[in-house]
Amino acid sequence: MTTESADTGNANRRKFLKNASVAAAVPAAASLLGGFPGTAAASDTPGLPDYAPIPPGSVGPALNADGYYVGKIKGNLYWVTDSYYQAMFLTTRDGVVLVDAPPTLGHNLLRAIQEVTQANGRPSKVTHLVYSHNHADHVGAASIFGKNVERIGHTETRRLLRIDADPNRPAPTVTFDDDYVLEVGGERLKLAYHGPNHSPDNIFVHAPDYDTLMVVDVLFPGWAPFKSLGASSDIPGWIKAHDIAMDYPWKTLVGGHLGRLGVRADVNIQKEYVDDLLASTRAVEASLDPTPFYEKYGPSGNSWAIFKAYLDAVATTAAAPVAAKYTGILASADVFTVDNAMALIESLRIDFGELGPFGIHA
């Protein structure tokens, strides 16, 4: 590939991401797929569903011409978003401490850091990179900061990344098991591991001097949780993480996703959403008669069809009142609540031992 074609490809990719980010930030958008420049709206495309409008309070700040927004949280602590993903960085007298490197932000992270440090007179070089966890969608641009950056993560993060052997996600050079205080150039971050939640290695990043907590893929300020409760591997741990987050003293939350920062009220609303969905799922699973599913699919010996039809019915029925309650309060409550109910059903069966009609045979 020639240098000219590579530059052209990178420019086109930046333009695409910028346009996609702008589309995501439009408050009146019916979905994140609607309103891309030069394309039909989702409602005009055959086969694509319509979703409820995004509540204005769920939308973050407008993006710049490069497709990102960077802003001060407090003091020397900043955040950057493209309306899909978020990162946080701390400017110090010795360099920049960056938390996460989402690929959709990519080189816009460097642009955001340069913009801030030019204004505040601090060094722009990223000297330390903290991994919230191992997933590529949050740290998949780690390689752009070079080989000399000090990478900090949980012990399990290093183990998992060594297995993955992804050149875009070099394994941490410094690890910890429970707690770690990162001190750089007169600034500090307190890192803590409270057990598995979204992933086996997901940590809490606390900036106590700036009343800020960053915990990724657990809390989604202004939005319903992403599919399958944030695509989480440990649902009981993920639910518990809500209370752990509230035990920290903070005023500002960086959740790692979407367009705006969070406040403590956002956690309370999401806790209510999860509690309501859990109660609804338990109630439906306890009351839905499995007989028709056995009668329909049992004679053919299609065991998976019995499970699928029954579990789909439980999830759809349980999700309906919850999606209706939170539509207009949490963005995309109508998009992922069925998937989130299914995650709870599976967790109730596998983690909590609430097996419903699939329990101990009499």
Side-chain angles (χ1 to χ4, degrees):
M1 179 180 292
T2 65
T3 303
E4 181 180 2
S5 62
D7 290 343
T8 301
N10 288 334
N12 289 337
R13 183 175 182 273
R14 288 197 300 271
K15 181 178 180 181
F16 170 79
L17 291 174
K18 178 189 72 174
N19 289 341
S21 300
V22 170
V26 177
S31 78
L32 290 178
L33 294 176
F36 279 41
T39 64
S43 59
D44 298 330
T45 305
L48 292 181
D50 293 316
Y51 294 113
I54 303 302
S58 300
V59 178
L63 308 180
N64 65 17
D66 285 319
Y68 70 89
Y69 170 86
V70 61
K72 178 183 287 192
I73 296 176
K74 186 179 180 182
N76 294 313
L77 187 65
Y78 297 81
W79 71 296
V80 57
T81 182
D82 59 1
S83 291
Y84 296 106
Y85 284 84
Q86 299 173 354
M88 181 174 79
F89 63 93
L90 191 58
T91 62
T92 84
R93 61 175 179 258
D94 294 335
V96 174
V97 178
L98 175 65
V99 185
D100 280 357
T104 65
L105 281 163
H107 287 269
N108 275 340
L109 290 168
L110 295 172
R111 296 182 182 95
I113 290 168
Q114 186 67 28
E115 177 182 337
V116 166
T117 53
Q118 278 185 344
N120 69 12
R122 293 202 155 191
S124 62
K125 182 176 176 57
V126 175
T127 57
H128 296 74
L129 175 57
V130 176
Y131 291 9
S132 65
H133 62 303
N134 73 94
H135 289 170
D137 64 325
H138 287 278
V139 297
S143 60
I144 71 174
F145 298 97
K147 297 180 179 180
N148 295 326
V149 65
E150 187 169 282
R151 306 170 193 276
I152 303 99
H154 190 259
T155 303
E156 184 70 359
T157 302
R158 179 159 64 181
R159 187 187 74 83
L160 291 168
L161 289 180
R162 283 178 168 175
I163 293 171
D164 291 342
D166 179 357
N168 290 319
R169 291 177 291 156
T173 53
V174 175
T175 62
F176 66 96
D177 292 325
D178 299 312
D179 300 283
Y180 185 84
V181 178
L182 176 60
E183 295 183 306
V184 180
E187 304 286 351
R188 63 174 177 150
L189 292 175
K190 299 178 73 173
L191 317 181
Y193 179 68
H194 297 286
N197 47 70
H198 163 70
S199 66
D201 59 327
N202 203 26
I203 65 171
F204 290 66
V205 181
H206 186 212
D209 300 326
Y210 301 119
D211 302 315
T212 297
L213 177 69
M214 182 171 179
V215 57
V216 174
D217 285 332
V218 173
L219 301 162
F220 301 83
W223 291 70
F226 185 75
K227 181 178 182 178
S228 301
L229 300 176
S232 295
S233 62
D234 190 314
I235 300 301
W238 183 86
I239 294 173
K240 182 181 177 182
H242 291 62
D243 291 325
I244 295 172
M246 291 299 275
D247 286 341
Y248 277 86
W250 57 270
K251 295 179 180 178
T252 302
L253 175 81
V254 181
H257 273 290
L258 303 167
R260 73 167 174 86
L261 298 171
V263 295
R264 298 184 77 87
D266 290 312
V267 184
N268 291 327
I269 293 172
Q270 184 169 308
K271 280 170 56 68
E272 291 172 9
Y273 169 91
V274 174
D275 288 345
D276 286 346
L277 190 57
L278 183 59
S280 183
T281 301
R282 279 186 164 130
V284 173
E285 192 169 35
S287 61
L288 187 65
D289 182 6
T291 303
F293 306 95
Y294 280 100
E295 291 177 343
K296 171 71 173 178
Y297 303 108
S300 68
N302 196 338
S303 300
W304 273 181
I306 296 171
F307 271 80
K308 174 177 171 52
Y310 174 79
L311 296 175
D312 283 352
V314 173
T316 302
T317 305
V322 179
K325 176 179 177 179
Y326 288 93
T327 294
I329 299 173
L330 292 177
S332 290
D334 59 327
V335 176
F336 281 138
T337 298
V338 172
D339 297 290
N340 290 336
M342 184 64 78
L344 284 176
I345 293 167
E346 289 301 294
S347 184
L348 286 171
R349 294 174 57 243
I350 294 169
D351 300 317
F352 294 93
E354 299 179 21
L355 296 170
F358 307 109
I360 298 173
H361 195 284

